[in-house]
Amino acid sequence: MLNIVLFGPPGAGKGTQSENLIKKYGLLHIATGDLFRKHLGEGTELGKLAKSYMNAGNLVPDEVVIGMVEDKIKLNLDAKGFIFDGFPRTVNQAEALDVMMKKNGLIISGMIELEVPNDELKKRIKERAKVSGRVDDQDEDKINNRLKVYAEETLPVAGYYKQIEKYAKINGVGSINDIFGQIDTVVKAY
Ligand code: ADP
């Protein structure tokens, strides 16, 4: 079973490359940002709780995210595999993911980091803002805050996977097809 963590800053192309992986390997997409936006749209309690964090570009508290992901895994144990996109975003979440995978007889195959410089990320997010309708894409301060949160709270997650030797890094600048080719080379070796 393939269980992939696709990692990288906002605007790195995780969503796009997740779609490619899903097409090729039939994996179930667990994108925590998308799940939260769905809750927001439906006005659920979880959505109400997450809203202020998301709109400011801050992280939703770990226990909320972890509970949501665990529910999603449990409901989909018949999946061919999972692709985690936007999760884990803290070392605490990474540790919790390992525990919940193990509890369900599963294991993470590896994490793949898409590396993209901040200038390019900002350009992409501003382009996306025109169509995404996302509050957190709209202004410079929020975008800068997300990049800061990423550097401070999320990047250490890469160290976690390096330590357990489940880490690969790919240059996320280039054509979508070329980047997917590089991702797929890593995945084929799992
Ligand atoms: P992006 O990668 O473009 O920042 P996402 O759609 O992955 O966007 O996430 C949007 C927002 O949802 C985040 O800024 C954060 O508030 C919340 N969020 C998503 N995933 C997590 C997570 N794993 N932990 C905490 N907050 C999260």
Side-chain angles (χ1 to χ4, degrees):
M1 195 169 169
L2 273 176
N3 295 306
I4 302 167
V5 173
L6 199 54
F7 185 78
K14 301 185 295 291
T16 307
Q17 297 299 347
S18 289
E19 275 172 37
N20 285 335
L21 284 166
I22 289 159
K23 251 184 242 153
K24 178 148 186 187
Y25 295 104
L27 307 176
L28 187 97
H29 196 198
I30 301 190
T32 43
D34 292 349
L35 292 173
F36 281 131
R37 277 186 289 278
K38 190 159 181 279
H39 278 281
L40 231 76
E42 290 168 357
T44 67
E45 284 307 310
L46 188 62
K48 285 179 200 155
L49 199 158
K51 187 174 179 177
S52 58
Y53 297 102
M54 292 181 73
N55 286 352
N58 291 321
L59 295 185
V60 177
D62 281 343
E63 61 276 16
V64 177
V65 189
I66 291 164
M68 182 176 75
V69 171
E70 186 153 28
D71 288 347
K72 190 83 186 169
I73 291 175
K74 279 193 195 143
L75 282 173
N76 291 283
L77 286 171
D78 58 342
K80 280 193 185 162
F82 296 100
I83 174 154
F84 297 96
D85 165 357
F87 179 90
R89 250 177 162 96
T90 62
V91 171
N92 193 18
Q93 290 180 17
E95 285 168 352
L97 177 60
D98 275 348
V99 172
M100 68 176 96
M101 294 292 280
K102 206 169 170 188
K103 238 198 286 180
N104 290 294
L106 306 170
I107 191 157
I108 293 292
S109 311
M111 100 101 87
I112 301 171
E113 176 177 355
L114 292 174
E115 193 179 43
V116 177
N118 275 4
D119 290 357
E120 172 70 16
L121 295 171
K122 285 194 198 177
K123 230 171 38 192
R124 292 184 188 178
I125 295 171
K126 285 177 186 165
E127 254 325 286
R128 182 171 75 183
K130 296 177 189 163
V131 291
S132 72
R134 282 175 54 172
V135 176
D136 59 347
D137 281 349
Q138 304 298 328
D139 75 74
E140 186 92 21
D141 283 354
K142 285 177 182 165
I143 297 171
N144 283 334
N145 187 46
R146 281 155 70 202
L147 294 174
K148 181 169 168 276
V149 168
Y150 180 77
E152 289 173 0
E153 299 182 52
T154 303
L155 257 186
V157 174
Y160 177 85
Y161 286 95
K162 275 180 204 163
Q163 215 173 27
I164 57 171
E165 296 179 355
K166 291 193 176 183
Y167 172 81
K169 179 157 76 181
I170 283 168
N171 178 2
V173 184
S175 83
I176 291 173
N177 272 339
D178 282 353
I179 296 165
F180 182 63
Q182 291 177 56
I183 292 174
D184 202 26
T185 302
V186 174
V187 170
K188 281 182 191 145
Y190 285 153

